[in-house]
Amino acid sequence: MRRGSIVRITIYGVLAGILASLVAVLVPWLPTSASEEMDRIEFTFWFTTVICIGVFAVVAAAIVYSVLKFRVQPEDDSDGPPIHGHTGLEIVWTAIPAVLVTAISIVSAVVLAKNDDAGPNPIRIAVTAQQFAWEFEYPGDSKITSGQLVLPVNRAVKLTLRSLDVIHSFWVPEFGQKSDVVPGIETTLVITPTRRGEYSIVCTELCGLGHATMRAPVRVVDRAGYEKFLAGAGDVAGSDENSGEAVFTSAGCGGCHAFEPAGTDAQVGPSLNEIDPRGRPLEDYVLESIVDPNRVIAPGYQPSVMPETYESSLNAEQLDALVQYLVEGQQ
Ligand code: CUA
C-alpha cells in the first residue's frame, strides 16, 4: 500500500471519529447523575462508547476509502479479481473485537457487583407497587408509610420491591438503577444518592391503562431533613398520612381519576367530581366502588380496569377517610 493511501485512510478515520465523538458528547443522552450507582453506570457507558467510536472510525475509513478508490469506471464491464480471503486479516479482526468485548463484560460485571452491594448497614425501605401507585414503608418502630420516597444524601439505601398485582418496574433516571417489581417474588435495588433535589420515580413496565401516570416523587435531603421527615414533623412529611387527601395520593387514585380538590384531571376512569350514586346513599356507593369496583361500572367505562386490592391494601380508617374526602369534594 502506498504512503498516500495510508494518509488518506487515516484522515477518513480521524474525521469519522471526530463526528461520532461530537454526537456522543454534544447530545445530552443521559440525565445528570444523582447517585454513586449512576456514576458507575455512566463510566460503563463511556467505556463502551469510546471503544465503539474507535471501531466505527476504522470501519468508516475502510468503507469510504474503498468506495472512492475502487469505484468502477464507466464502460468497465470486467469482473473483479478473485480473492480467497486473508488469514492474517481475519485473525486480527476476530481477535481485537474479542478482546474488546471481553473488556466490556469485565467492566460491566464489576459495576453490576458494586451496584448490588449495599455495604454493611444500609437504610432498608420496603416499596409496594400496585396499579397505579407506589408506596414506601420506612424503617423504625413507627412504621411510617408514604406515597413519596425521601432519602438522605450520601447514604446507601436498599429497597425491597413487591407488587400486589402485575409486573411494574422501578426507575429513577438520575439514580440509574432499575428493577422489575414482580408479583410473588421480592426484588432489591441499592441506591446511594449523591445530589440533593427532587426527582421522579417512573414505572417502566406497561402495567395497565394508568401505566403512564404511575409516578411518585423522590426527594433527596440532608440527614437532618430525613430525620425530620421520619419524625413526621418536617415540612417534607406533608399532611397526616391517614387523611383522606394523603390516602387519595398514596393509593394512586389521581393516576386514573379527575378530582378537583386533589388537583388531578386523569381520564382513565370516571371523574370523581360529580359522582352519581344511582339513587343510593352516596357514602355507601363510594365505599362499594372502592372495595368492589366491578359491582357497578360507570357508563362508557370498562370493567376490570380498577384494581380490586384496596380492601386489603387500605385499613378501615384509611378507607373511611378516603370516602369522606370524596364525599366532601362533590360539586
Ligand atoms: Cu406500573 Cu407501569
Side-chain angles (χ1 to χ4, degrees), residues 183-213:
I185 54 176
E186 196 177 85
T187 49
T188 60
L189 206 55
V190 174
I191 292 168
T192 314
T194 49
R195 201 156 53 84
R196 272 178 281 184
E198 295 186 15
Y199 312 101
S200 193
I201 297 163
V202 185
C203 177
T204 58
E205 187 71 58
L206 184 58
C207 55
L209 274 182
H211 161 67
T213 62

PDB file of all heavy atoms in Angstrom, residues 183-213:
ATOM      1  N   PRO A 183     -44.955  -9.727  40.910  1.00  0.00           N
ATOM      2  CA  PRO A 183     -45.786 -10.342  41.952  1.00  0.00           C
ATOM      3  C   PRO A 183     -45.254 -11.718  42.329  1.00  0.00           C
ATOM      4  O   PRO A 183     -44.842 -12.482  41.462  1.00  0.00           O
ATOM      5  CB  PRO A 183     -47.169 -10.443  41.288  1.00  0.00           C
ATOM      6  CG  PRO A 183     -46.962 -10.214  39.834  1.00  0.00           C
ATOM      7  CD  PRO A 183     -45.710  -9.427  39.688  1.00  0.00           C
ATOM      8  N   GLY A 184     -45.225 -12.012  43.626  1.00  0.00           N
ATOM      9  CA  GLY A 184     -44.788 -13.330  44.071  1.00  0.00           C
ATOM     10  C   GLY A 184     -43.324 -13.414  44.423  1.00  0.00           C
ATOM     11  O   GLY A 184     -42.902 -14.337  45.117  1.00  0.00           O
ATOM     12  N   ILE A 185     -42.490 -12.493  43.931  1.00  0.00           N
ATOM     13  CA  ILE A 185     -41.093 -12.507  44.358  1.00  0.00           C
ATOM     14  C   ILE A 185     -40.674 -11.117  44.829  1.00  0.00           C
ATOM     15  O   ILE A 185     -41.280 -10.120  44.455  1.00  0.00           O
ATOM     16  CB  ILE A 185     -40.107 -12.987  43.255  1.00  0.00           C
ATOM     17  CG1 ILE A 185     -40.269 -12.178  41.983  1.00  0.00           C
ATOM     18  CG2 ILE A 185     -40.251 -14.447  42.973  1.00  0.00           C
ATOM     19  CD1 ILE A 185     -39.260 -12.558  40.925  1.00  0.00           C
ATOM     20  N   GLU A 186     -39.621 -11.098  45.632  1.00  0.00           N
ATOM     21  CA  GLU A 186     -39.136  -9.836  46.154  1.00  0.00           C
ATOM     22  C   GLU A 186     -37.832  -9.505  45.446  1.00  0.00           C
ATOM     23  O   GLU A 186     -36.911 -10.310  45.440  1.00  0.00           O
ATOM     24  CB  GLU A 186     -38.896  -9.976  47.656  1.00  0.00           C
ATOM     25  CG  GLU A 186     -38.770  -8.663  48.358  1.00  0.00           C
ATOM     26  CD  GLU A 186     -38.612  -8.864  49.856  1.00  0.00           C
ATOM     27  OE1 GLU A 186     -37.469  -9.078  50.303  1.00  0.00           O
ATOM     28  OE2 GLU A 186     -39.632  -8.829  50.553  1.00  0.00           O
ATOM     29  N   THR A 187     -37.774  -8.345  44.818  1.00  0.00           N
ATOM     30  CA  THR A 187     -36.532  -7.915  44.186  1.00  0.00           C
ATOM     31  C   THR A 187     -35.930  -6.789  45.026  1.00  0.00           C
ATOM     32  O   THR A 187     -36.624  -6.194  45.854  1.00  0.00           O
ATOM     33  CB  THR A 187     -36.783  -7.418  42.745  1.00  0.00           C
ATOM     34  OG1 THR A 187     -37.867  -6.493  42.748  1.00  0.00           O
ATOM     35  CG2 THR A 187     -37.130  -8.570  41.827  1.00  0.00           C
ATOM     36  N   THR A 188     -34.648  -6.514  44.835  1.00  0.00           N
ATOM     37  CA  THR A 188     -33.996  -5.475  45.626  1.00  0.00           C
ATOM     38  C   THR A 188     -33.219  -4.537  44.705  1.00  0.00           C
ATOM     39  O   THR A 188     -32.875  -4.884  43.579  1.00  0.00           O
ATOM     40  CB  THR A 188     -33.006  -6.062  46.659  1.00  0.00           C
ATOM     41  OG1 THR A 188     -32.008  -6.783  45.955  1.00  0.00           O
ATOM     42  CG2 THR A 188     -33.711  -6.968  47.644  1.00  0.00           C
ATOM     43  N   LEU A 189     -32.963  -3.344  45.238  1.00  0.00           N
ATOM     44  CA  LEU A 189     -32.259  -2.332  44.471  1.00  0.00           C
ATOM     45  C   LEU A 189     -31.470  -1.477  45.462  1.00  0.00           C
ATOM     46  O   LEU A 189     -32.002  -1.099  46.502  1.00  0.00           O
ATOM     47  CB  LEU A 189     -33.291  -1.477  43.727  1.00  0.00           C
ATOM     48  CG  LEU A 189     -32.887  -0.777  42.442  1.00  0.00           C
ATOM     49  CD1 LEU A 189     -32.325  -1.785  41.453  1.00  0.00           C
ATOM     50  CD2 LEU A 189     -34.090  -0.096  41.832  1.00  0.00           C
ATOM     51  N   VAL A 190     -30.218  -1.184  45.132  1.00  0.00           N
ATOM     52  CA  VAL A 190     -29.394  -0.358  46.012  1.00  0.00           C
ATOM     53  C   VAL A 190     -29.207   1.022  45.384  1.00  0.00           C
ATOM     54  O   VAL A 190     -28.897   1.125  44.197  1.00  0.00           O
ATOM     55  CB  VAL A 190     -28.018  -1.019  46.246  1.00  0.00           C
ATOM     56  CG1 VAL A 190     -27.107  -0.100  47.048  1.00  0.00           C
ATOM     57  CG2 VAL A 190     -28.191  -2.361  46.933  1.00  0.00           C
ATOM     58  N   ILE A 191     -29.438   2.052  46.178  1.00  0.00           N
ATOM     59  CA  ILE A 191     -29.259   3.420  45.690  1.00  0.00           C
ATOM     60  C   ILE A 191     -28.486   4.210  46.732  1.00  0.00           C
ATOM     61  O   ILE A 191     -28.811   4.173  47.924  1.00  0.00           O
ATOM     62  CB  ILE A 191     -30.614   4.105  45.425  1.00  0.00           C
ATOM     63  CG1 ILE A 191     -31.317   3.433  44.238  1.00  0.00           C
ATOM     64  CG2 ILE A 191     -30.441   5.597  45.139  1.00  0.00           C
ATOM     65  CD1 ILE A 191     -32.753   3.835  44.078  1.00  0.00           C
ATOM     66  N   THR A 192     -27.456   4.921  46.306  1.00  0.00           N
ATOM     67  CA  THR A 192     -26.710   5.799  47.197  1.00  0.00           C
ATOM     68  C   THR A 192     -26.760   7.206  46.611  1.00  0.00           C
ATOM     69  O   THR A 192     -25.932   7.559  45.774  1.00  0.00           O
ATOM     70  CB  THR A 192     -25.248   5.337  47.327  1.00  0.00           C
ATOM     71  OG1 THR A 192     -25.226   3.923  47.534  1.00  0.00           O
ATOM     72  CG2 THR A 192     -24.552   6.038  48.481  1.00  0.00           C
ATOM     73  N   PRO A 193     -27.755   8.012  47.008  1.00  0.00           N
ATOM     74  CA  PRO A 193     -27.913   9.336  46.388  1.00  0.00           C
ATOM     75  C   PRO A 193     -26.711  10.234  46.706  1.00  0.00           C
ATOM     76  O   PRO A 193     -26.173  10.188  47.811  1.00  0.00           O
ATOM     77  CB  PRO A 193     -29.179   9.898  47.050  1.00  0.00           C
ATOM     78  CG  PRO A 193     -29.839   8.750  47.725  1.00  0.00           C
ATOM     79  CD  PRO A 193     -28.764   7.774  48.054  1.00  0.00           C
ATOM     80  N   THR A 194     -26.309  11.032  45.726  1.00  0.00           N
ATOM     81  CA  THR A 194     -25.160  11.915  45.930  1.00  0.00           C
ATOM     82  C   THR A 194     -25.525  13.383  45.740  1.00  0.00           C
ATOM     83  O   THR A 194     -24.685  14.245  45.952  1.00  0.00           O
ATOM     84  CB  THR A 194     -24.040  11.591  44.923  1.00  0.00           C
ATOM     85  OG1 THR A 194     -24.619  11.534  43.620  1.00  0.00           O
ATOM     86  CG2 THR A 194     -23.399  10.253  45.230  1.00  0.00           C
ATOM     87  N   ARG A 195     -26.748  13.654  45.296  1.00  0.00           N
ATOM     88  CA  ARG A 195     -27.088  15.039  44.974  1.00  0.00           C
ATOM     89  C   ARG A 195     -28.479  15.328  45.526  1.00  0.00           C
ATOM     90  O   ARG A 195     -29.424  14.595  45.240  1.00  0.00           O
ATOM     91  CB  ARG A 195     -27.086  15.220  43.450  1.00  0.00           C
ATOM     92  CG  ARG A 195     -26.931  16.635  42.977  1.00  0.00           C
ATOM     93  CD  ARG A 195     -26.353  16.660  41.555  1.00  0.00           C
ATOM     94  NE  ARG A 195     -27.088  15.851  40.607  1.00  0.00           N
ATOM     95  CZ  ARG A 195     -28.174  16.267  39.959  1.00  0.00           C
ATOM     96  NH1 ARG A 195     -28.655  17.472  40.148  1.00  0.00           N
ATOM     97  NH2 ARG A 195     -28.788  15.475  39.110  1.00  0.00           N
ATOM     98  N   ARG A 196     -28.599  16.372  46.329  1.00  0.00           N
ATOM     99  CA  ARG A 196     -29.905  16.736  46.849  1.00  0.00           C
ATOM    100  C   ARG A 196     -30.796  17.254  45.740  1.00  0.00           C
ATOM    101  O   ARG A 196     -30.297  17.829  44.772  1.00  0.00           O
ATOM    102  CB  ARG A 196     -29.773  17.799  47.952  1.00  0.00           C
ATOM    103  CG  ARG A 196     -29.563  17.169  49.319  1.00  0.00           C
ATOM    104  CD  ARG A 196     -29.379  18.201  50.359  1.00  0.00           C
ATOM    105  NE  ARG A 196     -28.009  18.726  50.310  1.00  0.00           N
ATOM    106  CZ  ARG A 196     -27.546  19.605  51.167  1.00  0.00           C
ATOM    107  NH1 ARG A 196     -28.317  20.073  52.110  1.00  0.00           N
ATOM    108  NH2 ARG A 196     -26.304  20.022  51.069  1.00  0.00           N
ATOM    109  N   GLY A 197     -32.101  17.039  45.867  1.00  0.00           N
ATOM    110  CA  GLY A 197     -33.003  17.540  44.837  1.00  0.00           C
ATOM    111  C   GLY A 197     -34.257  16.694  44.761  1.00  0.00           C
ATOM    112  O   GLY A 197     -34.462  15.800  45.579  1.00  0.00           O
ATOM    113  N   GLU A 198     -35.082  17.040  43.795  1.00  0.00           N
ATOM    114  CA  GLU A 198     -36.338  16.319  43.606  1.00  0.00           C
ATOM    115  C   GLU A 198     -36.310  15.596  42.272  1.00  0.00           C
ATOM    116  O   GLU A 198     -35.959  16.172  41.246  1.00  0.00           O
ATOM    117  CB  GLU A 198     -37.509  17.312  43.649  1.00  0.00           C
ATOM    118  CG  GLU A 198     -37.636  17.955  45.003  1.00  0.00           C
ATOM    119  CD  GLU A 198     -38.881  18.823  45.111  1.00  0.00           C
ATOM    120  OE1 GLU A 198     -39.765  18.701  44.253  1.00  0.00           O
ATOM    121  OE2 GLU A 198     -38.931  19.607  46.072  1.00  0.00           O
ATOM    122  N   TYR A 199     -36.665  14.339  42.322  1.00  0.00           N
ATOM    123  CA  TYR A 199     -36.679  13.517  41.114  1.00  0.00           C
ATOM    124  C   TYR A 199     -38.026  12.820  41.018  1.00  0.00           C
ATOM    125  O   TYR A 199     -38.926  13.052  41.815  1.00  0.00           O
ATOM    126  CB  TYR A 199     -35.516  12.516  41.164  1.00  0.00           C
ATOM    127  CG  TYR A 199     -34.211  13.159  41.536  1.00  0.00           C
ATOM    128  CD1 TYR A 199     -33.707  13.064  42.833  1.00  0.00           C
ATOM    129  CD2 TYR A 199     -33.516  13.927  40.610  1.00  0.00           C
ATOM    130  CE1 TYR A 199     -32.527  13.692  43.191  1.00  0.00           C
ATOM    131  CE2 TYR A 199     -32.339  14.566  40.952  1.00  0.00           C
ATOM    132  CZ  TYR A 199     -31.842  14.445  42.245  1.00  0.00           C
ATOM    133  OH  TYR A 199     -30.684  15.077  42.591  1.00  0.00           O
ATOM    134  N   SER A 200     -38.131  11.935  40.025  1.00  0.00           N
ATOM    135  CA  SER A 200     -39.415  11.274  39.821  1.00  0.00           C
ATOM    136  C   SER A 200     -39.203   9.794  39.587  1.00  0.00           C
ATOM    137  O   SER A 200     -38.331   9.400  38.806  1.00  0.00           O
ATOM    138  CB  SER A 200     -40.115  11.923  38.617  1.00  0.00           C
ATOM    139  OG  SER A 200     -41.450  11.519  38.568  1.00  0.00           O
ATOM    140  N   ILE A 201     -39.992   8.969  40.292  1.00  0.00           N
ATOM    141  CA  ILE A 201     -39.976   7.531  40.024  1.00  0.00           C
ATOM    142  C   ILE A 201     -40.900   7.287  38.838  1.00  0.00           C
ATOM    143  O   ILE A 201     -42.013   7.783  38.812  1.00  0.00           O
ATOM    144  CB  ILE A 201     -40.481   6.727  41.225  1.00  0.00           C
ATOM    145  CG1 ILE A 201     -39.569   6.938  42.413  1.00  0.00           C
ATOM    146  CG2 ILE A 201     -40.592   5.248  40.873  1.00  0.00           C
ATOM    147  CD1 ILE A 201     -40.205   6.516  43.713  1.00  0.00           C
ATOM    148  N   VAL A 202     -40.412   6.516  37.875  1.00  0.00           N
ATOM    149  CA  VAL A 202     -41.185   6.231  36.677  1.00  0.00           C
ATOM    150  C   VAL A 202     -41.417   4.729  36.633  1.00  0.00           C
ATOM    151  O   VAL A 202     -40.483   3.960  36.810  1.00  0.00           O
ATOM    152  CB  VAL A 202     -40.385   6.652  35.418  1.00  0.00           C
ATOM    153  CG1 VAL A 202     -41.218   6.473  34.182  1.00  0.00           C
ATOM    154  CG2 VAL A 202     -39.903   8.079  35.541  1.00  0.00           C
ATOM    155  N   CYS A 203     -42.666   4.314  36.404  1.00  0.00           N
ATOM    156  CA  CYS A 203     -42.908   2.890  36.165  1.00  0.00           C
ATOM    157  C   CYS A 203     -42.571   2.619  34.706  1.00  0.00           C
ATOM    158  O   CYS A 203     -43.093   3.271  33.810  1.00  0.00           O
ATOM    159  CB  CYS A 203     -44.360   2.513  36.452  1.00  0.00           C
ATOM    160  SG  CYS A 203     -44.701   0.773  36.081  1.00  0.00           S
ATOM    161  N   THR A 204     -41.652   1.663  34.471  1.00  0.00           N
ATOM    162  CA  THR A 204     -41.232   1.406  33.092  1.00  0.00           C
ATOM    163  C   THR A 204     -41.675   0.040  32.597  1.00  0.00           C
ATOM    164  O   THR A 204     -41.024  -0.547  31.739  1.00  0.00           O
ATOM    165  CB  THR A 204     -39.708   1.525  32.941  1.00  0.00           C
ATOM    166  OG1 THR A 204     -39.114   0.598  33.841  1.00  0.00           O
ATOM    167  CG2 THR A 204     -39.230   2.911  33.247  1.00  0.00           C
ATOM    168  N   GLU A 205     -42.744  -0.495  33.174  1.00  0.00           N
ATOM    169  CA  GLU A 205     -43.297  -1.744  32.640  1.00  0.00           C
ATOM    170  C   GLU A 205     -44.773  -1.477  32.367  1.00  0.00           C
ATOM    171  O   GLU A 205     -45.495  -1.062  33.290  1.00  0.00           O
ATOM    172  CB  GLU A 205     -43.140  -2.862  33.681  1.00  0.00           C
ATOM    173  CG  GLU A 205     -43.528  -4.235  33.183  1.00  0.00           C
ATOM    174  CD  GLU A 205     -42.529  -4.770  32.166  1.00  0.00           C
ATOM    175  OE1 GLU A 205     -41.341  -4.878  32.493  1.00  0.00           O
ATOM    176  OE2 GLU A 205     -42.963  -5.071  31.037  1.00  0.00           O
ATOM    177  N   LEU A 206     -45.202  -1.697  31.123  1.00  0.00           N
ATOM    178  CA  LEU A 206     -46.600  -1.436  30.764  1.00  0.00           C
ATOM    179  C   LEU A 206     -47.501  -2.277  31.667  1.00  0.00           C
ATOM    180  O   LEU A 206     -47.494  -3.491  31.592  1.00  0.00           O
ATOM    181  CB  LEU A 206     -46.833  -1.787  29.299  1.00  0.00           C
ATOM    182  CG  LEU A 206     -48.237  -1.479  28.773  1.00  0.00           C
ATOM    183  CD1 LEU A 206     -48.595  -0.024  28.939  1.00  0.00           C
ATOM    184  CD2 LEU A 206     -48.360  -1.892  27.316  1.00  0.00           C
ATOM    185  N   CYS A 207     -48.247  -1.606  32.576  1.00  0.00           N
ATOM    186  CA  CYS A 207     -48.937  -2.350  33.633  1.00  0.00           C
ATOM    187  C   CYS A 207     -50.439  -2.110  33.621  1.00  0.00           C
ATOM    188  O   CYS A 207     -51.139  -2.532  34.531  1.00  0.00           O
ATOM    189  CB  CYS A 207     -48.341  -1.991  34.995  1.00  0.00           C
ATOM    190  SG  CYS A 207     -48.349  -0.228  35.350  1.00  0.00           S
ATOM    191  N   GLY A 208     -50.947  -1.459  32.605  1.00  0.00           N
ATOM    192  CA  GLY A 208     -52.387  -1.233  32.545  1.00  0.00           C
ATOM    193  C   GLY A 208     -52.683   0.157  32.023  1.00  0.00           C
ATOM    194  O   GLY A 208     -51.778   0.891  31.610  1.00  0.00           O
ATOM    195  N   LEU A 209     -53.958   0.518  32.064  1.00  0.00           N
ATOM    196  CA  LEU A 209     -54.370   1.799  31.477  1.00  0.00           C
ATOM    197  C   LEU A 209     -53.719   3.001  32.145  1.00  0.00           C
ATOM    198  O   LEU A 209     -53.478   4.014  31.517  1.00  0.00           O
ATOM    199  CB  LEU A 209     -55.897   1.943  31.563  1.00  0.00           C
ATOM    200  CG  LEU A 209     -56.694   1.329  30.414  1.00  0.00           C
ATOM    201  CD1 LEU A 209     -58.171   1.582  30.607  1.00  0.00           C
ATOM    202  CD2 LEU A 209     -56.234   1.928  29.084  1.00  0.00           C
ATOM    203  N   GLY A 210     -53.439   2.899  33.455  1.00  0.00           N
ATOM    204  CA  GLY A 210     -52.865   4.041  34.162  1.00  0.00           C
ATOM    205  C   GLY A 210     -51.347   4.026  34.217  1.00  0.00           C
ATOM    206  O   GLY A 210     -50.739   4.805  34.951  1.00  0.00           O
ATOM    207  N   HIS A 211     -50.722   3.146  33.432  1.00  0.00           N
ATOM    208  CA  HIS A 211     -49.254   2.995  33.463  1.00  0.00           C
ATOM    209  C   HIS A 211     -48.511   4.328  33.357  1.00  0.00           C
ATOM    210  O   HIS A 211     -47.593   4.606  34.118  1.00  0.00           O
ATOM    211  CB  HIS A 211     -48.841   2.053  32.337  1.00  0.00           C
ATOM    212  CG  HIS A 211     -47.404   2.133  31.948  1.00  0.00           C
ATOM    213  ND1 HIS A 211     -46.393   1.745  32.783  1.00  0.00           N
ATOM    214  CD2 HIS A 211     -46.811   2.592  30.813  1.00  0.00           C
ATOM    215  CE1 HIS A 211     -45.229   1.943  32.159  1.00  0.00           C
ATOM    216  NE2 HIS A 211     -45.456   2.460  30.988  1.00  0.00           N
ATOM    217  N   ALA A 212     -48.960   5.156  32.389  1.00  0.00           N
ATOM    218  CA  ALA A 212     -48.232   6.406  32.141  1.00  0.00           C
ATOM    219  C   ALA A 212     -48.314   7.361  33.324  1.00  0.00           C
ATOM    220  O   ALA A 212     -47.492   8.259  33.473  1.00  0.00           O
ATOM    221  CB  ALA A 212     -48.774   7.092  30.887  1.00  0.00           C
ATOM    222  N   THR A 213     -49.315   7.166  34.184  1.00  0.00           N
ATOM    223  CA  THR A 213     -49.483   8.080  35.316  1.00  0.00           C
ATOM    224  C   THR A 213     -48.844   7.522  36.576  1.00  0.00           C
ATOM    225  O   THR A 213     -48.904   8.143  37.628  1.00  0.00           O
ATOM    226  CB  THR A 213     -50.966   8.323  35.599  1.00  0.00           C
ATOM    227  OG1 THR A 213     -51.571   7.065  35.945  1.00  0.00           O
ATOM    228  CG2 THR A 213     -51.676   8.898  34.389  1.00  0.00           C
TER     229      THR A 213
END
